[in-house]
Amino acid sequence: MARGWWRDAVLYQIYVRSFADGNGDGVGDLPGVLDRLPHVRDLGADAIWLNPFYRSPMADGGYDVADPRDVDPLFGTLDDADRVFERAHDLGLKVVVDIVPNHTSHRHTWFVAALAAGPGSAQRARFLFRDGRGPGGAEPPNNWLSQFGGPAWTRITEPDGSPGQWYLHLYAPEQPDLNWRNLEVRCEYLSILRFWLDRGVDGFRVDVAHGLVKALGLPDVPAGVPQGWEGRLGHPLPYWDQPEVHDVYRTWRRLLDSYADPDARIGVAEAWGPQGDRLAAYTRPDELHQAFNFPYLTAGWDAARLRAVIDDTLATAATVDAPPTWVLSNHDVVRPVTRFGGGRGGLDRARAAVLLELALPGSAYLYQGEELGLPEVEDLPAELREDPVFVRSGGALPGRDGCRVPIPWAGQSPPFAFSTHSRAWLPQPEAWAGLTVEAQRREAASTLALYRAALRIRREHPALGSGPATHRLDWHEQGVPAGVLAFAREPGFVCAVNLTGGAVRVPPYGALLLSSGPVDPVDGDRVVLPADTAAWWSTGG
Ligand code: NOJ
């Protein structure tokens, strides 16, 4: 069986806009990434995943792509992208880029042509245009809702000035959905994949991977079934997880495998809806290589839920021989420090959570700033917020800007060497002076130091990463209080995490390798693990 690099890789997500600014306009860009790549190498990650840097009017932070074969001037040039790929490779880092196949931008030449060409045209057939319902076609074609609020349909004006057809957009109106039952669409995406593979990328993170193909006839969602941003997990909907979507990935896999080393180029599914076997189906041996584990991300700080998700993940990943993956954060969710309660307690839990994550078998995703213990920025002024989730809900939903605030690199005041401009595109809190990379490099007990140590041990210890058993760990129950997750991995490794809310005593497992907070030996035969603390031991076995 082939064992690719991705099976136990730690991938570091770079949200380009907020990582580092190379041209002094206050917005992160590819030259900035180039400059700061050594940070990722020093951290000990194996790969970077770059969020979209393609030409885009930025109605959804670049997930509205107007030209998928070019770099937006905001982020640099194609040459800059090539330089980033090359430098990353020189530093020993693989490169994964985003691909956005569910929708384009409304400024994409295909959509502009579709508007001009009129009903029934080949240009419209690339998207999902339909006549409206009711008198004069004034009602949307069905009851689907946009993930960003409101109906998933927008009515256009035909070229002759008359009220026209409607087009589907599961996200913002600036993001028209493509028609994946159309052959031209399928061919176009194979060509886009080739374009970036030929430039040397090692893989793709597939945006909305479960949404491409819609149920035939675009049927209404039954009354009472939740849709939209809140209803993302667990409900069957006619626009998510349709069986035909898997044909797309089978074709993509053949293309990926046709590149020089057949186990080297990967696809990663971003699929918020499907769980268990339905999620694992995206990573069957002839489909994509990995899928983000969102059930893990959403399990909270709860021992029973985490254990259930871990067991389910290991079992279902084994059925398709895919590596399990683990993720705590990304550019779409509230940062873990804040999700886990905020303040010192939230930070303690986030630090413990990453030791749990990195001890599990398989591959892990880290989001920039997580290694600094950054909290969500919750008090961003409304006029600076850009996320369509915030804008389209009229401010009712906070949206995702708070986890996208630029990285503090160095210095005592904003923008903390993120940019030479006086301000970053989203303001960083003054209090981040203590959280800069520079400050945390100097401090042995910093979150950055914890991440670096964890990644170093993970690389060196034979039980960690995939280890000899990719789909297995052995839970310890004996002498372990309820609310503590403790497990062994062979050879010679134990991880224990205290989620009880109070200090507990656990067996002395061996030599302490690393802990997220202080761990004290007592009486020689028990060890005190404080609340919200995780520790790794070498058991010498
Ligand atoms: C998932 C991306 O991560 C998110 O940022 C984006 O808004 C949606 N897909 C739509 O592309």
Side-chain angles (χ1 to χ4, degrees):
M1 190 195 336
R3 311 310 294 185
W5 63 269
W6 43 276
R7 287 196 160 256
D8 62 1
V10 174
L11 295 98
Y12 180 91
Q13 179 191 350
I14 295 183
Y15 191 71
V16 178
R17 220 178 167 193
S18 301
F19 190 61
D21 172 17
N23 72 349
D25 64 356
V27 180
D29 50 30
L30 292 173
V33 173
L34 188 75
D35 200 38
R36 295 290 188 182
L37 274 178
H39 170 72
V40 186
R41 192 258 331 263
D42 294 349
L43 186 65
D46 302 297
I48 54 170
W49 150 35
L50 297 164
N51 281 107
F53 47 76
Y54 314 117
R55 266 193 194 267
S56 165
M58 301 294 281
D60 181 22
Y63 281 96
D64 48 319
V65 180
D67 182 351
R69 294 185 186 78
D70 201 3
V71 172
D72 196 277
L74 193 62
F75 299 126
T77 62
L78 261 183
D79 283 345
D80 292 328
D82 289 340
R83 276 193 279 274
V84 168
F85 304 160
E86 204 181 304
R87 179 107 172 91
H89 287 150
D90 287 348
L91 293 173
L93 297 165
K94 304 280 186 191
V95 180
V96 170
V97 296
D98 238 289
I99 183 140
V100 189
N102 181 66
H103 43 264
T104 66
S105 158
H106 68 315
R107 299 274 182 246
H108 190 290
T109 50
W110 275 14
F111 193 70
V112 174
L115 292 180
S121 60
Q123 288 85 345
R124 285 217 181 159
R126 294 162 171 161
F127 296 91
L128 290 158
F129 280 88
R130 292 290 183 277
D131 293 333
R133 295 202 280 209
E139 299 293 322
N142 68 24
N143 67 356
W144 296 2
L145 296 179
S146 155
Q147 299 303 292
F148 293 157
W153 295 91
T154 290
R155 192 172 198 186
I156 62 155
T157 303
E158 297 298 348
D160 66 3
S162 61
Q165 288 195 298
W166 299 70
Y167 68 90
L168 180 73
H169 51 85
L170 290 181
Y171 293 87
E174 296 87 352
Q175 295 167 293
D177 277 48
L178 286 160
N179 172 15
W180 274 85
R181 297 184 188 275
N182 178 300
L183 195 58
E184 218 186 328
V185 169
R186 293 191 180 220
C187 292
E188 169 68 357
Y189 271 83
L190 288 172
S191 152
I192 298 167
L193 292 173
R194 262 192 227 106
F195 179 87
W196 292 103
L197 288 167
D198 291 342
R199 300 191 98 86
V201 306
D202 302 288
F204 299 92
R205 174 269 192 193
V206 185
D207 190 58
V208 198
H210 59 314
L212 276 46
V213 183
K214 278 72 180 177
L216 278 173
L218 311 184
D220 274 335
V221 172
V225 172
Q227 300 190 57
W229 202 245
E230 309 298 347
R232 285 184 297 180
L233 284 175
H235 297 277
L237 289 167
Y239 42 84
W240 294 149
D241 201 26
Q242 299 300 306
E244 297 95 323
V245 82
H246 294 284
D247 300 339
V248 175
Y249 302 125
R250 289 195 188 98
T251 317
W252 287 19
R253 180 61 178 255
R254 282 198 292 277
L255 175 67
L256 293 168
D257 283 353
S258 74
Y259 274 75
D261 172 357
D263 205 28
R265 318 279 180 128
I266 68 164
V268 184
E270 188 232 15
W272 269 99
Q275 303 192 40
D277 289 332
R278 295 200 71 98
L279 183 58
Y282 288 78
T283 57
R284 285 178 285 204
D286 59 346
E287 297 195 37
L288 300 174
H289 298 69
Q290 297 185 342
F292 290 127
N293 191 342
F294 292 131
Y296 182 73
L297 187 153
T298 51
W301 191 241
D302 178 298
R305 281 184 68 193
L306 281 166
R307 178 160 171 175
V309 173
I310 292 168
D311 284 340
D312 184 61
T313 302
L314 295 176
T316 51
T319 63
V320 288
D321 190 34
T325 71
W326 314 99
V327 58
L328 286 171
S329 67
N330 64 33
H331 64 293
D332 290 330
V333 299
V334 173
R335 283 197 177 272
V337 169
T338 305
R339 246 174 35 230
F340 293 145
R344 183 67 229 188
L347 180 61
D348 286 347
R349 289 186 273 275
R351 287 167 57 103
V354 78
L355 288 200
L356 170 61
E357 177 186 28
L358 293 174
L360 295 169
S363 179
Y365 282 80
L366 308 176
Y367 173 50
Q368 68 182 37
E370 203 189 300
E371 77 280 22
L372 305 177
L374 297 185
E376 185 84 357
V377 181
E378 295 177 293
D379 59 354
L380 289 170
E383 64 277 13
L384 296 181
R385 290 184 186 256
E386 290 195 8
D387 183 4
V389 172
F390 175 82
V391 177
R392 290 176 60 79
S393 69
L397 297 172
R400 302 161 294 176
D401 294 305
C403 66
R404 299 173 177 181
V405 172
I407 295 299
W409 292 98
Q412 293 306 313
S413 53
F416 298 117
F418 163 74
S419 173
T420 52
H421 196 279
S422 56
R423 273 199 314 262
W425 73 278
L426 283 175
Q428 303 140 307
E430 300 277 345
W432 282 11
L435 295 179
T436 64
V437 173
E438 179 188 56
Q440 297 204 38
R441 270 210 189 117
R442 290 194 296 259
E443 223 191 288
S446 71
T447 301
L448 179 59
L450 177 74
Y451 269 70
R452 282 182 168 188
L455 290 173
R456 179 179 49 74
I457 296 168
R458 182 184 151 103
R459 226 180 8 257
E460 289 168 0
H461 200 291
L464 292 180
S466 283
T470 311
H471 300 106
R472 178 164 172 187
L473 45 79
D474 297 307
W475 293 107
H476 276 274
E477 334 260 5
Q478 283 272 314
V480 176
V484 173
L485 293 176
F487 59 87
R489 294 192 60 199
E490 293 307 325
F493 175 87
V494 167
C495 171
V497 193
N498 178 2
L499 298 100
T500 63
V504 294
R505 289 166 178 230
V506 294
Y509 290 111
L512 187 67
L513 289 169
L514 185 64
S515 59
S516 64
V519 171
D520 297 319
V522 211
D523 297 341
D525 78 327
R526 297 306 265 181
V527 169
V528 174
L529 194 58
D532 302 324
T533 302
W536 290 359
W537 290 270
S538 164
T539 58

